[in-house]
Amino acid sequence: MSKRRLNRRQQWRIDKIQKEREARAHRRAASAEQVLEEGDLGPEQTGLVIANYGTQVLVESAADPALRQRCHLRANIDTLVTGDRVAWSPATGDSSGGTGVVGARLERQSELQRPDRYGDLKTVAANIDRILIVIAPYPEPFANAIDRYLVAAETTGIAPLLLLNKSDRIDDGNREELEDLLAPYPGLGYPVLRLSTKTGEGLPALLETLAGGTSVFVGQSGVGKSSLVNALLPSAGARTGALSEATQKGTHTTTAAELFHLPSGGDLIDSPGIREFGLWHMDEQSLLEGFVEFRPFIGHCRFRDCRHQGEPGCAIAGALARGTISERRMDSFLRLRNSLESEN
Ligand SMILES: Nc1nc2c(ncn2[C@@H]2O[C@H](COP(=O)(O)OP(=O)(O)OP(=O)(O)O)[C@@H](O)[C@H]2O)c(=O)[nH]1
Ligand SMILES: [Mg+2]
Ligand SMILES: [Zn+2]
């Protein structure tokens, strides 16, 4: 796991966020206690968080998936995210307005986290088996952004996959660039699937890939994550939004993560698009380890404090010269290290 290095400003923000959290927990506790006092709650059982609405969550019963209720959270629960498993009590009578209460969060098997704009680590989804990094010809993808996601996936130990959506928009003008962009990944153990929600290309293969476990979509706004959900599960009715005419970028249509059950098996979590997956909380060692093909060479440079930028006896440079590490990925690593140093 990565170590967090915080400067004073970041620490101040984190303290502030902590205070806000406590205030929120108090408010929640008040409403949860009210429901409890009013009674009419069924016996406690396990459930799955389908969506998070801020102070309340939508919970599905593990025993009876047809039973879904909005729930208050007991004060002792810090945060719940989509994919969390919980112990909850459904409402049975009218007095509680059909609102259940979540009493506890069960242990998470895995979590996908990203730093928010205050530098606080925020969990996006829990109990994830697979991260689907979605890119498309439009909005234009960047190698650096893909590698940020891959590093984040490697750090959490959740298997990532690359999905190139909108394959119907590949033409002679962008084909070569996209092929170059994606070329290093299959050899590194990251499968690349080509998809189109317009022509249906690749959708059966994607369904097969998703058949076991829980997968989560990540990627820029506008690459077609929600469109893919609708293409795989027409009854999902996820909201989608056209790209901005002026910038050809997404318009942040999805605002909260939501979990869908696929009829052919597997669960799929749609999530809001993000501009950039910040990695500021990582140290250089974790960043290096996030590049899988660098791993065998880490610690083998002649100098302990090697920067891998032309020092004699650099093991990374050796691998680069032999082609074991590609220029593209090396370049990406150096850029990420630079941005990490300036973000810190
Ligand atoms: N040509 C083409 N357009 C697509 C495809 N898939 C999605 N789109 C379009 O891309 C735009 C954005 O799609 P969304 O599904 O809303 O994108 P998103 O990734 O969910 O975006 P956010 O929710 O903002 O993160 C919409 O206008 C879709 O119609 C595709 O395979 N081909
Ligand atoms: Mg969306
Ligand atoms: Zn080196």
Side-chain angles (χ1 to χ4, degrees), residues 67-180:
L67 175 59
R68 282 185 173 196
Q69 276 184 5
R70 277 204 180 227
C71 290
H72 291 296
L73 274 55
R74 291 264 221 164
N76 57 317
I77 303 172
D78 182 20
T79 48
L80 289 180
V81 297
T82 301
D84 262 323
R85 285 187 266 276
V86 295
W88 72 298
S89 306
T92 53
D94 280 337
S95 61
S96 54
T99 309
V101 172
V102 176
R105 182 179 88 194
L106 306 186
E107 202 188 328
R108 287 176 178 162
Q109 306 305 308
S110 68
E111 48 185 21
L112 176 65
Q113 294 185 316
R114 68 179 181 92
D116 66 13
R117 67 198 139 113
Y118 305 109
D120 190 27
L121 272 186
K122 194 168 176 278
T123 303
V124 182
N127 301 315
I128 306 300
D129 301 296
R130 203 175 292 111
I131 296 177
L132 308 170
I133 303 168
V134 188
I135 64 164
Y138 306 95
E140 207 188 318
F142 293 98
N144 212 248
I146 298 173
D147 289 324
R148 274 176 184 253
Y149 280 118
L150 289 172
V151 167
E154 289 298 340
T155 310
T156 51
I158 307 171
L161 233 84
L162 291 168
L163 307 185
L164 172 61
N165 188 34
K166 308 195 191 183
S167 64
D168 56 286
R169 296 204 59 188
I170 298 175
D171 55 33
D172 291 341
N174 59 23
R175 180 172 294 111
E176 207 174 324
E177 209 176 322
L178 286 166
E179 277 169 8
D180 286 349

Side-chain angles (χ1 to χ4, degrees), residues 91-326:
T92 53
D94 280 337
S95 61
S96 54
T99 309
V101 172
V102 176
R105 182 179 88 194
L106 306 186
E107 202 188 328
R108 287 176 178 162
Q109 306 305 308
S110 68
E111 48 185 21
L112 176 65
Q113 294 185 316
R114 68 179 181 92
D116 66 13
R117 67 198 139 113
Y118 305 109
D120 190 27
L121 272 186
K122 194 168 176 278
T123 303
V124 182
N127 301 315
I128 306 300
D129 301 296
R130 203 175 292 111
I131 296 177
L132 308 170
I133 303 168
V134 188
I135 64 164
Y138 306 95
E140 207 188 318
F142 293 98
N144 212 248
I146 298 173
D147 289 324
R148 274 176 184 253
Y149 280 118
L150 289 172
V151 167
E154 289 298 340
T155 310
T156 51
I158 307 171
L161 233 84
L162 291 168
L163 307 185
L164 172 61
N165 188 34
K166 308 195 191 183
S167 64
D168 56 286
R169 296 204 59 188
I170 298 175
D171 55 33
D172 291 341
N174 59 23
R175 180 172 294 111
E176 207 174 324
E177 209 176 322
L178 286 166
E179 277 169 8
D180 286 349
L181 179 74
L182 295 170
Y185 299 117
L188 299 175
Y190 304 127
V192 178
L193 287 184
R194 277 169 59 126
L195 308 164
S196 168
T197 67
K198 299 279 185 240
T199 67
E201 181 184 359
L203 297 179
L206 180 58
L207 275 180
E208 224 169 278
T209 306
L210 305 187
T214 302
S215 308
V216 64
F217 277 145
V218 297
Q220 284 192 70
S221 175
V223 293
K225 300 179 293 297
S226 303
S227 303
L228 282 167
V229 169
N230 289 338
L232 298 175
L233 183 66
S235 66
R239 223 158 60 80
T240 63
L243 301 189
S244 145
E245 295 265 350
T247 63
Q248 287 298 296
K249 288 199 167 145
T251 49
H252 294 276
T253 309
T254 305
T255 54
E258 185 173 349
L259 184 145
F260 299 93
H261 300 299
L262 296 171
S264 48
D267 289 342
L268 179 56
I269 298 177
D270 188 13
S271 82
I274 47 179
R275 272 192 219 298
E276 201 173 56
F277 210 96
L279 294 173
W280 67 266
H281 60 292
M282 294 188 90
D283 53 30
E284 181 170 341
Q285 189 63 18
S286 319
L287 182 68
L288 267 172
E289 281 164 12
F291 284 75
V292 277
E293 72 275 39
F294 288 25
R295 286 180 189 168
F297 310 105
I298 301 174
H300 294 281
C301 298
R302 183 178 307 159
F303 301 116
R304 268 185 68 103
D305 59 351
C306 185
R307 301 274 296 161
H308 324 301
Q309 278 182 302
E311 290 88 342
C314 173
I316 303 274
L320 186 68
R322 290 191 303 278
T324 315
I325 291 176
S326 71

